[in-house]
Amino acid sequence: MLPEQATAVRRAVLVPAQLTDFVPRACTEVATYLFRHGIPSSGYPFARSRPVHDDLIEVEAGIPVAAPITDSGLVHPSTLPAGPVVVGRHKGAHEKIGPARQAIDDWLQTEGADRDGDSWEIYHDLPTCDDLGGRIEVVQPITFPAADV
């Protein structure tokens, strides 16, 4: 069970192929903003995306913070939701994250749970211009259907 987490993010609508370029750049811009404003981070960089239409996705990439920030026009306040989650862990190239996502799908099916919103990725190695990091957690909010009584 996770508590709601305030975040500082950059947002974009893009094609999925642009994600690996956008996320490291966005996390660096958010980190720079936090540093310049004396705002401490309270977690690892992350990215959360969802399909919007056609082949486009809406993405937020940024860093958790202890308290909500003020919108700067470039960096925006947001939150990661509270509630139960299942986590898949991956170590290696981001392009090979599929088995971690499949493990989540398998667990959901086995346990009879449902997705409850969009997943996000947490990057335990700081994203760089060349890489999203080698240690990644995929966090999926979940819910269990009400039991028949």
Side-chain angles (χ1 to χ4, degrees), residues 44-56:
Y44 291 100
F46 74 95
R48 188 175 196 197
S49 62
R50 66 179 183 85
V52 284
H53 57 79
D54 299 325
D55 291 330
L56 297 177

Side-chain angles (χ1 to χ4, degrees), residues 36-105:
R36 288 184 179 157
H37 290 86
I39 301 169
S41 66
S42 62
Y44 291 100
F46 74 95
R48 188 175 196 197
S49 62
R50 66 179 183 85
V52 284
H53 57 79
D54 299 325
D55 291 330
L56 297 177
I57 58 172
E58 181 177 65
V59 63
E60 287 189 342
I63 300 172
V65 291
I69 65 162
T70 303
D71 194 316
S72 76
L74 179 68
V75 176
H76 307 281
S78 191
T79 59
L80 292 172
V85 300
V86 63
V87 177
R89 289 183 171 82
H90 170 71
K91 185 173 182 177
H94 186 268
E95 299 78 34
K96 297 185 180 188
I97 200 166
R101 293 190 178 281
Q102 184 61 52
I104 289 172
D105 291 342

Side-chain angles (χ1 to χ4, degrees), residues 88-90 94 97 121-124 132-138:
R89 289 183 171 82
H90 170 71
H94 186 268
I97 200 166
E121 295 178 357
I122 299 173
Y123 307 106
H124 288 267
L132 286 176
R135 293 178 298 150
I136 303 168
E137 288 182 324
V138 179

Side-chain angles (χ1 to χ4, degrees), residues 19-29 61 127-132:
L19 197 59
T20 55
D21 290 331
F22 174 77
V23 171
R25 187 176 67 252
C27 290
T28 299
E29 290 167 351
T128 66
C129 293
D130 300 323
D131 190 13
L132 286 176

Side-chain angles (χ1 to χ4, degrees), residues 85-89 97-111 113-115 119-120 137-142:
V85 300
V86 63
V87 177
R89 289 183 171 82
I97 200 166
R101 293 190 178 281
Q102 184 61 52
I104 289 172
D105 291 342
D106 294 347
W107 186 92
L108 291 169
Q109 184 173 4
T110 299
E111 299 300 321
D114 295 318
R115 294 177 188 279
S119 65
W120 62 92
E137 288 182 324
V138 179
V139 181
Q140 176 62 61
I142 60 169

